[in-house]
Amino acid sequence: MEKILLVIVAVLGIAAAHVLGPRIRIAPPLLLVVVGALVGILPFVPDLDIDPEWILVGVLPPLLYSAAVSMPTMDFRRDFTAISALSVVLVLVSAVILGVFFHWVLPDISLATGIALGAIVSPTDAVATSIAKRLGVPGRVIAVLEGESLLNDATALVLLRAAVAATAAGISFGVVALSFVWAVLGAVVVGGVIGWFNLWVRRRLSDATVNTAISFTVPYLAYLPAEELGASGLVAAVTAGLITGAGAVKYLSPQHRLSDTQNWRTVEFLLEGGVFLLMGLELSGLIAAVRDEHGGITTAVWIGLAALAITLVVRSLYVTPMIWWLDRIARRGTAIRPYLQNMDAKISEKAQKIPDQIPSDAADERPPRRLRLRPRPGGQRRDGDRPQITTEAFAANPAAVQHYRTRITRRIADIDYYTAAPMGPKEGTIVVWAGMRGVVTLAAAQTLPDDTPSRALLVLIAFVVAAASLILQGGTLGWVIRRLRLADIADDRAAEHDRLRAELSRTAQDVLSSSDLAARYPWVRERIQRMEEQAEEDGNATGIDLAYRQAFEEVRRATIAAQRETLLRMRDNGTYHSSLLTQELQQLDAEEISLDLRLDDE
């Protein structure tokens, strides 16, 4: 009975924190940590000792899976270079530097143990990144932070395993490198198989409740076999989530996606809040253990604060040249953009001469090597860099040329994205300061073997790093963002949204003019046009009461299907911002669900 009461109180406390936090201008996760710490020191509250397996296996896979499902794959692809640099190289560098520091200030522990603790406190946390998202951090910065936090756990945990093993028996650098490669590649394979199998099964189910129930098992179906094979279960769960998120719009019905979104949002809400609350509740037990072994907590506090300062310094020194590198890539893209536009114009000119020879699904076929374009910096090229775009080339391989043109369109869209959302010094500052530590650090620290020298001290150091990171960085992140005075992109986003709505309206007109539905229901065309105009004005095309519902629904469903295909093509090409495409896809889903509800009522 007491345990049930504690669960009820915890859920109500999490809900209260999310209600009160915005009102008192404190991020709910920070409020939960403080409340948990205050409750934990009350004399009648017993010390809390949570098995770290409950966090590493029970909490992190669904949290990372849910974050991966909701992350736009287009943004992940565009910033994968920065994400991989932060999630692999930075973690390794930080862990080694911190390991040397810990071994220096704590001579009783070995260098391998110091590196193990460095691996524990190095990775940023996907849960902690949610704080940055609530404070209005630019979308590209959020994409980089989320991508980093999704992948750097594998680097840290593999390094942790290797360092712990090194304390018992010597292992070579080659063994560590091979372990890391297998941890990532094996996890990607397992996660990819589970992700595609998940879509294959769930697209054949009609009950949204059953569909969502199955989705709750997906992160564990990816995690468990990957861990059994010696790979990273967390990376497998992330991979399964990315594949599910990318294919959900195409393979799952709107009802299934809406059910998934609502239920997984609740799961995230409770798990995130519960994790931060547990962090605060465990504090008193850690302090007591360190006092018994070392006579006080001063050592743990100053070493933890120093370790956090070192991580910030190392991160700053690493991010600064990375931002310069990303800016250089963006400038190179801007330089070759006219060349790509010229190529696209020439291909369009040739395509108009033989429109019947290019199939509509030509872009789905892979082109041969001779049609690949690798332009040089500044638009310079050699004769072999550009394929022949003669009419004969189209006639010989129209599918390959059309695919080639799609790649040019995507490359131009990527360049425009980098130009519209640059990664300059201000954005780099946010990347540094928003890289907070969280539950992964605390959970990983508790996986240290029981016979590790000064284990309680090391765990408390990890807690100090995580808690101080959340309180200091999370508590001042909003102030930092306001001081930076980032450029307001609201007007640009509004203009982009208007262009997107215009394209969707043209898609609807094409469906009405080319479909036999218009001939069968000529009066519907005027109503559909009126509805599209209304959608452009208020952004909501649902709830319009039209006569002759059956005719309207048939025509409107065909229009929705065509508009969804248009949005998916735009997502693949990257011609519009991911948030706008997501917004329009959700609006189409809402309208289709509304049509289904009308049908059920009838």
Side-chain angles (χ1 to χ4, degrees):
M1 184 66 70
E2 292 181 357
K3 294 182 179 179
I4 295 177
L5 181 61
L6 289 176
V7 172
I8 294 174
V9 172
V11 172
L12 293 177
I14 294 170
H18 281 77
V19 173
L20 296 176
R23 296 182 179 180
I24 60 178
R25 297 185 178 182
I26 297 178
L30 303 179
L31 186 60
L32 286 170
V33 171
V34 174
V35 170
L38 294 177
V39 172
I41 62 176
L42 297 177
F44 57 84
V45 176
D47 291 339
L48 190 63
D49 185 16
I50 300 296
D51 187 345
E53 289 296 321
W54 282 104
I55 303 296
L56 292 175
V57 180
V59 175
L60 291 184
L63 278 179
L64 294 177
Y65 171 83
S66 180
V69 168
S70 60
M71 183 172 187
T73 53
M74 181 173 65
D75 294 347
F76 187 83
R77 172 186 62 81
R78 281 170 165 166
D79 284 311
F80 183 74
T81 300
I83 290 171
S84 58
L86 291 170
S87 59
V88 178
V89 181
L90 179 57
V91 171
L92 294 175
V93 172
S94 299
V96 173
I97 293 176
L98 287 169
V100 174
F101 168 73
F102 291 134
H103 177 59
W104 176 57
V105 296
L106 297 172
D108 293 339
I109 68 172
S110 65
L111 179 60
T113 302
I115 293 177
L117 183 57
I120 289 170
V121 302
S122 292
T124 57
D125 193 7
V127 179
T129 305
S130 63
I131 298 175
K133 188 183 299 184
R134 294 187 183 98
L135 293 175
V137 172
R140 188 180 178 189
V141 176
I142 287 294
V144 172
L145 291 172
E146 283 191 333
E148 176 195 6
S149 61
L150 289 176
L151 298 182
N152 62 10
D153 295 332
T155 308
L157 294 179
V158 170
L159 184 59
L160 173 61
R161 292 174 184 172
V164 170
T167 61
I171 58 175
S172 64
F173 174 78
V175 172
V176 175
L178 288 176
S179 298
F180 175 76
V181 171
W182 168 247
V184 175
L185 295 182
V188 168
V189 172
V190 173
V193 171
I194 296 299
W196 284 114
F197 184 72
N198 168 43
L199 293 172
W200 183 84
V201 170
R202 293 173 60 197
R203 70 181 297 189
R204 288 163 172 78
L205 301 176
S206 58
D207 192 314
T209 303
V210 174
N211 202 291
T212 301
I214 293 176
S215 75
F216 289 152
T217 67
V218 174
Y220 301 106
L221 291 175
Y223 180 92
L224 295 176
E227 288 290 326
E228 288 295 323
L229 294 173
S232 172
L234 296 181
V235 172
V238 168
T239 304
L242 289 173
I243 291 178
T244 300
V249 177
K250 185 176 182 180
Y251 296 109
L252 302 182
S253 69
Q255 292 86 345
H256 293 171
R257 295 197 300 275
L258 179 62
S259 176
D260 273 10
T261 301
Q262 292 176 334
N263 285 281
W264 273 106
R265 191 171 296 166
T266 302
V267 170
E268 278 190 67
F269 172 80
L270 293 176
L271 289 181
E272 286 183 6
V275 163
F276 285 111
L277 190 60
L278 285 175
M279 287 181 63
L281 290 172
E282 287 186 320
L283 178 60
S284 61
L286 287 174
I287 292 176
V290 172
R291 281 177 176 171
D292 292 340
E293 295 181 10
H294 300 276
I297 63 171
T298 305
T299 301
V301 172
W302 81 259
I303 292 178
L305 294 177
L308 177 60
I310 291 173
T311 60
L312 290 174
V313 171
V314 172
R315 188 174 179 87
S316 300
L317 295 177
Y318 186 87
V319 169
T320 299
M322 188 191 75
I323 293 297
W324 171 84
W325 178 39
L326 293 176
D327 180 68
R328 185 170 181 268
I329 292 176
R331 285 188 281 107
R332 290 179 61 184
T334 303
I336 66 172
R337 192 181 189 283
Y339 171 71
L340 294 173
Q341 285 183 308
N342 183 52
M343 290 293 298
D344 188 54
K346 290 183 178 180
I347 293 176
S348 300
E349 180 183 352
K350 298 298 180 182
Q352 292 175 357
K353 297 182 180 179
I354 49 172
D356 297 334
Q357 297 188 31
I358 300 181
S360 59
D361 60 347
D364 295 334
E365 300 183 22
R366 188 173 180 82
R369 282 184 175 274
R370 64 183 178 84
L371 291 178
R372 295 183 182 176
L373 175 66
R374 298 185 184 275
R376 296 179 174 277
Q380 299 177 0
R381 62 180 178 81
R382 291 197 297 247
D383 293 338
D385 286 338
R386 187 181 69 176
Q388 297 297 319
I389 54 172
T390 62
T391 305
E392 291 76 11
F394 274 90
N397 200 343
V401 176
Q402 184 66 14
H403 185 100
Y404 174 70
R405 184 183 180 188
T406 301
R407 290 185 61 189
I408 292 179
T409 302
R410 180 181 299 175
R411 177 60 177 147
I412 292 175
D414 290 348
I415 293 172
D416 292 340
Y417 170 80
Y418 297 139
T419 303
M423 291 289 285
K426 294 182 178 180
E427 290 75 15
T429 301
I430 298 177
V431 170
V432 172
W433 200 247
M436 290 169 277
R437 278 67 188 166
V439 62
V440 175
T441 294
L442 187 60
Q446 296 182 22
T447 63
L448 290 171
D450 293 336
D451 58 353
T452 302
S454 303
R455 181 182 183 277
L457 177 63
L458 300 183
V459 175
L460 184 57
I461 289 173
F463 181 91
V464 170
V465 173
S469 174
L470 290 173
I471 295 174
L472 296 178
Q473 295 174 249
T476 59
L477 182 59
W479 177 82
V480 171
I481 294 173
R482 290 191 297 270
R483 293 290 295 177
L484 290 174
R485 297 181 180 178
L486 299 172
D488 187 4
I489 60 172
D491 293 339
D492 295 338
R493 192 72 77 239
E496 186 178 4
H497 183 261
D498 292 340
R499 294 195 302 271
L500 178 58
R501 286 300 314 172
E503 290 205 36
L504 293 179
S505 296
R506 284 194 294 271
T507 299
Q509 299 303 321
D510 292 341
V511 171
L512 292 172
S513 61
S514 61
S515 174
D516 62 338
L517 296 174
R520 289 162 54 193
Y521 310 113
W523 55 272
V524 175
R525 179 171 185 172
E526 180 182 352
R527 301 290 181 90
I528 294 290
Q529 290 175 339
R530 191 180 308 165
M531 193 184 74
E532 290 295 329
E533 294 173 358
Q534 180 70 20
E536 291 186 23
E537 293 178 2
D538 58 19
N540 183 12
T542 62
I544 298 178
D545 185 16
L546 298 176
Y548 309 104
R549 287 183 177 177
Q550 182 176 0
F552 165 75
E553 288 175 1
E554 188 175 353
V555 175
R556 190 57 192 158
R557 287 183 188 277
T559 305
I560 290 174
Q563 289 178 327
R564 184 176 287 119
E565 288 295 325
T566 298
L567 291 173
L568 290 177
R569 185 176 67 254
M570 292 175 180
R571 186 186 70 176
D572 293 339
N573 293 338
T575 49
Y576 286 92
H577 195 273
S578 59
S579 62
L580 296 180
L581 297 178
T582 300
Q583 177 183 338
E584 292 300 325
L585 284 169
Q586 290 175 344
Q587 184 167 312
L588 291 180
D589 288 347
E591 186 172 357
E592 188 170 347
I593 292 173
S594 177
L595 294 174
D596 292 338
L597 291 175
R598 291 181 191 170
L599 184 61
D600 292 340
D601 292 340
E602 293 175 358

